[in-house]
Amino acid sequence: MTILQENRFFGNPDHEKLVFVGTRNAGSTAFVASSVQPCSGIYAVSYIATGILRVFFGQSADHVQKYRSVLSYDMSMTLPLASVTNCIMQHYISNNQCNASTPYIDITVLGITISGDDTNPVAALAATANIAGSSANKIYLELVMNRGL
Amino acid sequence: MTVYTNAQLINQRNIVTLHGSFTVGASGAPTLVTANGASNGIKSITRSSAGVYTITLGDSKITDKYKYYYGIKTGYQFSGTPTVYPQPVDLGYTQSTSRIQVRYYKPTASSGPVVSSTVSDPDNGATIYFEIMMGLY
């Protein structure tokens, strides 16, 4: 691997990048952090409801980390085809509590629902899909946070 | 432009990462978030047409010209269920004006029913986060 330089420019020294790579734990609501890929600043990711992931900040439940704000957020998923029938790989932050005493954010993964009848169908987004419990189902989560409290 | 360094290995030279966010009001009107150092390096955000947003790079006095554009990643925050797809289409970078555009869509259904997409403003009350990677030269 060729590394050309070690510096990357950020506009503010308080900005902090958090990365979580993990797989859905079969038979559980929790995701297991990868042992071979970097995970930092996020100590747990688990489902709290259908389609809704909760991401906890810090090193552990006893050592949480509060932030002033979210600066950027991105997530991608590696899923087998059978897992995406009700999921459109679109997601958003549905609850931001990064500055609370128990700091976390909720991420909702969306599907599409259709209501009405054949002549007047209505399409809408909804939290309809969970990522199934399988070691093949992996999420890559990247957050940049503002630590300047 | 104040530039700090942050040790992170990368196999390209002179990469600049810009983080910004804006809130969406009525009729899709955007407001750039600038409190506490947010959106440093972002000059402005405007709604160019329904569902289309233009991000201009720079600060209040100047426009920053970059040679390369490596892409934009966006995040969507909303307290309810969004009506638009949270991830927009990247319309690219125009070097002469230092502008990047994105376009939002929402699902619609037609007789059949068949699901398709139409251009739409993001939800009133949403916050859009974005990370832009640029190359100086």
Side-chain angles (χ1 to χ4, degrees), chain A residues 88-102:
Chain A
I88 55 171
M89 319 292 271
Q90 293 265 322
H91 46 82
Y92 70 106
I93 296 175
S94 50
N95 190 6
N96 182 355
Q97 299 293 330
C98 70
N99 199 20
S101 57
T102 300

Side-chain angles (χ1 to χ4, degrees), chain B:
Chain B
M1 164 167 40
T2 302
V3 174
Y4 300 91
T5 59
N6 186 335
Q8 181 170 359
L9 303 180
I10 191 164
N11 60 358
Q12 296 284 343
R13 295 184 187 277
N14 303 302
I15 296 291
V16 176
T17 303
L18 302 169
H19 299 111
S21 60
F22 63 92
T23 58
V24 179
S27 303
T31 301
L32 190 67
V33 176
T34 58
N36 307 309
S39 302
N40 193 5
I42 307 300
K43 184 181 183 71
S44 65
I45 174 77
T46 56
R47 178 183 179 274
S48 299
S49 60
V52 177
Y53 291 83
T54 300
I55 300 165
T56 303
L57 308 180
D59 60 28
S60 60
K61 294 184 174 60
I62 61 170
T63 299
D64 287 336
K65 302 284 186 184
Y66 295 91
K67 185 169 185 178
Y68 298 113
Y69 173 55
Y70 294 104
I72 183 171
K73 295 190 291 188
T74 64
Y76 200 90
Q77 179 177 308
F78 189 59
S79 59
T81 301
T83 59
V84 300
Y85 294 112
Q87 276 74 51
V89 172
D90 179 1
L91 300 180
Y93 171 61
T94 303
Q95 190 183 37
S96 61
T97 54
S98 285
R99 289 177 175 173
I100 294 162
Q101 286 191 315
V102 295
R103 182 190 288 144
Y104 284 86
Y105 290 85
K106 70 177 181 181
T108 57
S110 56
S111 180
V114 175
V115 176
S116 59
S117 298
T118 54
V119 176
S120 176
D121 288 327
D123 299 278
N124 186 356
T127 298
I128 312 292
Y129 303 104
F130 56 87
E131 177 179 309
I132 298 169
M133 283 186 69
M134 305 300 296
L136 283 174
Y137 48 81

